Every structure is written in C-alpha cells, then in structure tokens.
Amino acid sequence: MSYAVRFVPSNIPRLLSGVIFVAVATLCVATSAAAQNTAVTGSVPNGVASNEVIRLTLQDAVNMALRYNLGAIESGENVQFTRGQHLIALSNLLPQVSGGISENVGQTSLATFGFKGLPDIPSVLGPYAYSKVDASLSQTLFNFESIQRLRAARTTEQAAQLSYQDTLDVVTLTVGNAYLQVIESSSRIEAQQAQVRNAQALYDQAVEEYQAGTSPRIEATRTEVQLHAEEYNLSVARNDFAIAKLTLARAIGLPLGQAFDIADQLPYSNINPPTVEDALKTAYSSRSDLRAALDSLKAAQQTVSASKGERYPVLAVNGDYGDVGETFGQSNGNFNFQAGLRIPIFTGGRIAADITQAETALQQRKAEAENTRGQVDYDVRTAFLNLDAAKEQVDVAQINVALANENLERSKDRFTSGVTDSVEVVQSEQSLASANDQYITSVYNHNLAKLMLARGLGIARTSYKQYVGGN
C-alpha cells in the first residue's frame, strides 16, 4: 500500500466539459429563438392520408402540433441532450468501477532484452499460460470545479425544459393563427360568393332591360364587367383558402394530401382581460422563455465559479485488486491503493483564459435575460393595444356592413325604378364588399390579438380556448 502526492494540472476532459456547458446554455436560448422563427411552421407528417374528410377542431389541431410540429420535436430533443450533459457531469463525481477476466498465453525471447548465450539460462521463456481476474476503482473525493459544473449542467437542463415549454406556447400561437387564417379565408369566400350573386342578378336584370329596349347596351356591358371582376376575386379567395389549409396542415403534421375541413368557426366574442399591470406580473412569473433565460444566466454564473475552481486542489483515490495464477485454483491476490492530491501550479494561462471565456458568456446571458424581460413587456403591451384597436374596428365594421347593405338595397330599387343607372349599384356593391372585407379582417385581428395576449401571459398552451373559444 502506498500514498502519493501528485502535482499535475487538471485533466483535459473536465476542461472540455466546461466549454460544453457554456455552449449548451447558449444553445437553449438560441434553440428557442430559432424554433419560434422557423421550425414551428414545419412538422413531421404523421401516417398515411385516408379517403375520408377529417373534421378538425382547434383543439385537434393544437394537440397534433404539440406531438408532430418540428419546433416541438427539436426542442424536446434538446432537453434530452442537456439531460445527457447533466449525467456526464454527474459521472465525474461518482465512483468509476471496472472489472475483467482473461486467459493469457505467451512466449518471450530473452534475446529481445540483450541476453544471448548465457549458461544455464534458456534463450526462450515459455510457452507459458496464466489466468487473471481483476477489478479497479477510482473516486474523486473533492473537486470544486466538477461540483460547480454539475450544478451548471443541472441548471442548463432546467433551462432547456423551460425553453421546451415556451416552444409549445409558440407552437400553440402559430397553429391558432393558422387556424384563424383558414376561418378568415373561408369567410372571404362566403362574402365573395354573395358578391358574385349580387353581380349576377344585376347583370341579368340589365340584360333583360336591354332586350326589352328600356336600357342601353352600356348598362349590360358595365354589369358584365363587374360580374367578371367579382368572379375573379372569388377565384383568388378560393386559392387563398386552399393555401391557408395547406399552411395549417404543414404546421400540425397531418398526413400528406389529407383532406380536412375545420369544425370551429370562432365567431367574434369579447373578453374581460386583466389590467396591464396585473398582466405584466403574470407574464413575468409565467413566461417560460424569461424563466429559461434566467436559468441560463444562473448556469453561466455557475460556470464562472467552476472555471475559477480549476485553481483548487483535487483529492482522489484509486485502487485495484487482481487474482493471478496458472489456474484460478492456484492463484494469488495482489492489490494496489493510491490516495492523491492534484494541485495545478502552472497551466500556461489556461485557467485565466477559461475564466475570461466564462465571464464573457455570463455577460451575454445577462444581456439576453434583460432583452427577454423587455420582450415580455413588449408582447403584453402590444397585445393590449391590438386587442383594443381590433375591438373598435369590429364595432365600426359591423356598422359599415349594415349601412352598406342598406345602401345597396336602395341603389337596386332606384335602378329597378329607372331613377339611376348601374354605376350607382356597382359602386354600392363595391362598398359592401369593402365593408365585409373590413369586418372579416377585424374579427380575425381580434381573435389573433386575444391569442397573442394569452401568449404574452405565457399561458397560450393551457388557456387558448378561454381566449378564442373552440371545441
């Protein structure tokens, strides 16, 4: 048995692990931002399309997206990645045990070692054989750097989990918006079909009057031009509707080519939101992206502490035991035990460089956390502004639609009575089309503003139905 004091610099694996922890903490924030910008619009298509038309509720769409949306999948896998880094950091502080068993056969030529022609000493030893079974154990008793890196890894894993929750919130917002766009596009088709019917009726009346000789040809031509213009707009609305459905299917992972219809219409409904001050308090405590940024900041602080801990001594023990002999029945045991203290004396500035890098990363995480806090404030205040504006727009648009319908009916009566020509009717139809368009847009904006308020509060995934409705 021997006890030894060894003076060696800290090992390379722990150095690399320190760099990885800083990178992972950065990755958590970067992954969330990337998911919000790009990945949440994609998905992994699930299964094969069926021949039946699926009736898709908002809840169905959200539930599918939480399983198959690309942003949700990648963020979930990032949690597993940081979990692996946590386990690696933990393994540096746990005992390392290994064992083995072997059968050995060998032959040695003494000439290899410079023994040639010595009397009574054979030039070749063997062949010989022996059996061996052994076990070894190593244990770090104290390593401040590894302890701090373990804490940083644990905090980084927590940040990744929060980033995942935030991604689910963003996925809910994205899918909800896509669903609302399908509803909006469908409403535009219905409104445009009504415009086509009005234009068709006006054209038919103008043709009848022309054929009866009570109206000039220009009236029939003018109304025919208007009819074709409305048919063109209807074609555009139908194409926009088809693209909106594809966008929704793309985000939620529907089977490729699967036909579906939306089951929820989500009509206009007002809500009683909290005050801005109360909403901000809720957001600061609930928003997962802010909590993830704060955890990333904490992990960076722990990484700085770990880098400074590289200067501290490391106490470790290791030992091994083996049983060796011609056979296991004729074997003898041997063992070795060491207790060592490693003290870094000169590392060529490596520790100072590690500290500098860790402190730089810490400043970045501080800036990112403050930026996220500002983003939360911006999201909540913007959602309230949009919600108030959208409500006013809905109220005005409803009045405009009613007035436009009344004006159109009067114009038709005047045209039928011969008091005016088709120009007035066409203008009235255009005014009604504009009023309908404004109403459809304002209802969409109002629903989206409610959904964005839920996102701003950090409760989109759990409370979206309370804000926009749906089955």
Side-chain angles (χ1 to χ4, degrees):
M1 180 180 297
S2 64
Y3 297 86
V5 178
R6 295 177 290 166
F7 300 90
V8 296
S10 300
N11 56 25
I12 297 299
R14 288 193 174 89
L15 256 181
L16 296 177
S17 64
V19 176
I20 291 174
F21 291 148
V22 176
V24 170
T26 306
L27 181 63
C28 291
V29 177
T31 299
S32 177
Q36 293 180 26
N37 293 330
T38 57
V40 292
T41 60
S43 64
V44 178
N46 173 51
V48 180
S50 62
N51 293 327
E52 62 181 82
V53 179
I54 297 176
R55 295 280 293 173
L56 193 68
T57 66
L58 176 59
Q59 182 175 352
D60 293 335
V62 171
N63 290 341
M64 287 192 65
L66 295 181
R67 294 178 60 189
Y68 304 117
N69 183 271
L70 181 60
I73 292 174
E74 289 185 343
S75 185
E77 292 302 318
N78 185 55
V79 174
Q80 296 303 312
F81 176 81
T82 55
R83 174 63 176 167
Q85 294 299 319
H86 181 193
L87 294 176
I88 290 174
L90 178 61
S91 69
N92 289 332
L93 294 172
L94 295 178
Q96 307 295 309
V97 181
S98 61
I101 183 171
S102 62
E103 288 286 343
N104 302 273
V105 179
Q107 178 174 290
T108 303
S109 173
L110 295 181
T112 304
F113 303 99
F115 297 98
K116 297 181 180 179
L118 297 178
D120 300 328
I121 298 178
S123 60
V124 176
L125 299 180
Y128 52 86
Y130 64 94
S131 301
K132 180 181 180 182
V133 59
D134 66 88
S136 63
L137 167 70
S138 63
Q139 168 69 64
T140 299
L141 300 180
F142 176 79
N143 187 333
F144 183 78
E145 176 195 356
S146 294
I147 293 172
Q148 290 300 97
R149 295 207 186 282
L150 173 61
R151 291 172 178 169
R154 185 187 302 115
T155 306
T156 298
E157 182 185 357
Q158 294 170 357
Q161 182 65 44
L162 289 169
S163 292
Y164 173 63
Q165 298 298 325
D166 181 66
T167 299
L168 297 185
D169 240 29
V170 176
V171 168
T172 302
L173 172 62
T174 301
V175 173
N177 180 41
Y179 199 95
L180 291 174
Q181 286 180 336
V182 175
I183 295 174
E184 179 194 28
S185 300
S186 176
S187 299
R188 292 189 188 283
I189 290 178
E190 294 177 1
Q192 194 58 43
Q193 286 173 335
Q195 290 297 112
V196 171
R197 289 193 295 268
N198 288 335
Q200 183 69 56
L202 182 62
Y203 170 68
D204 293 341
Q205 182 178 351
V207 169
E208 289 177 1
E209 293 181 357
Y210 167 70
Q211 292 175 345
T214 59
S215 177
R217 173 66 182 171
I218 186 64
E219 295 292 343
T221 302
R222 183 184 295 123
T223 56
E224 183 178 10
V225 170
Q226 180 63 20
L227 173 60
H228 292 322
E230 299 298 348
E231 290 175 337
Y232 173 85
N233 292 336
L234 177 59
S235 176
V236 172
R238 285 171 173 164
N239 184 67
D240 291 342
F241 175 66
I243 292 177
K245 290 180 69 176
L246 286 175
T247 301
L248 175 60
R250 181 80 180 92
I252 67 178
L254 274 180
L256 300 179
Q258 176 64 57
F260 72 94
D261 288 329
I262 56 174
D264 296 331
Q265 292 304 315
L266 306 181
Y268 170 74
S269 62
N270 200 14
I271 62 172
N272 294 316
T275 65
V276 175
E277 291 73 18
D278 290 340
L280 285 173
K281 291 179 182 178
T282 301
Y284 288 143
S285 61
S286 302
R287 279 282 290 263
S288 296
D289 53 345
L290 177 58
R291 294 166 61 196
L294 294 175
D295 272 355
S296 294
L297 173 60
K298 181 179 178 181
Q301 293 170 336
Q302 291 166 333
T303 301
V304 170
S305 179
S307 298
K308 294 179 179 179
E310 294 178 26
R311 294 194 174 104
Y312 299 167
V314 175
L315 178 62
V317 296
N318 61 77
D320 59 78
Y321 179 85
D323 202 32
V324 183
E326 292 184 9
T327 64
F328 289 119
Q330 299 176 341
S331 60
N332 295 293
N334 54 56
F335 65 91
N336 179 60
F337 176 80
Q338 283 186 325
L341 185 68
R342 298 195 306 272
I343 303 175
I345 297 176
F346 177 73
T347 60
R350 175 186 54 77
I351 295 178
D354 288 346
I355 294 173
T356 299
Q357 290 180 336
E359 288 178 340
T360 300
L362 174 60
Q363 295 304 316
Q364 292 173 339
R365 298 297 84 75
K366 285 182 178 179
E368 290 167 358
E370 289 305 312
N371 176 69
T372 304
R373 188 183 300 275
Q375 185 65 46
V376 170
D377 180 271
Y378 173 85
D379 290 346
V380 171
R381 295 183 186 277
T382 301
F384 271 94
L385 291 173
N386 289 337
L387 187 61
D388 291 340
K391 184 180 182 303
E392 292 178 1
Q393 291 164 9
V394 170
D395 293 339
V396 173
Q398 287 176 328
I399 297 174
N400 284 343
V401 169
L403 293 174
N405 275 305
E406 180 182 349
N407 184 56
L408 177 60
E409 291 302 319
R410 291 180 178 178
S411 297
K412 287 180 179 179
D413 292 341
R414 288 162 57 83
F415 178 70
T416 301
S417 302
V419 178
T420 186
D421 56 16
S422 61
V423 174
E424 180 180 328
V425 181
V426 169
Q427 290 175 340
S428 297
E429 288 180 344
Q430 292 173 342
S431 297
L432 177 59
S434 176
N436 282 327
D437 183 74
Q438 290 176 351
Y439 177 73
I440 292 170
T441 300
S442 63
V443 171
Y444 164 76
N445 289 337
H446 187 263
N447 280 328
L448 180 59
K450 291 188 291 184
L451 194 58
M452 292 187 68
L453 176 59
R455 157 59 185 163
L457 296 175
I459 56 175
R461 182 174 62 89
T462 58
S463 304
Y464 66 92
K465 292 175 65 175
Q466 299 176 18
Y467 282 78
V468 296
N471 297 318

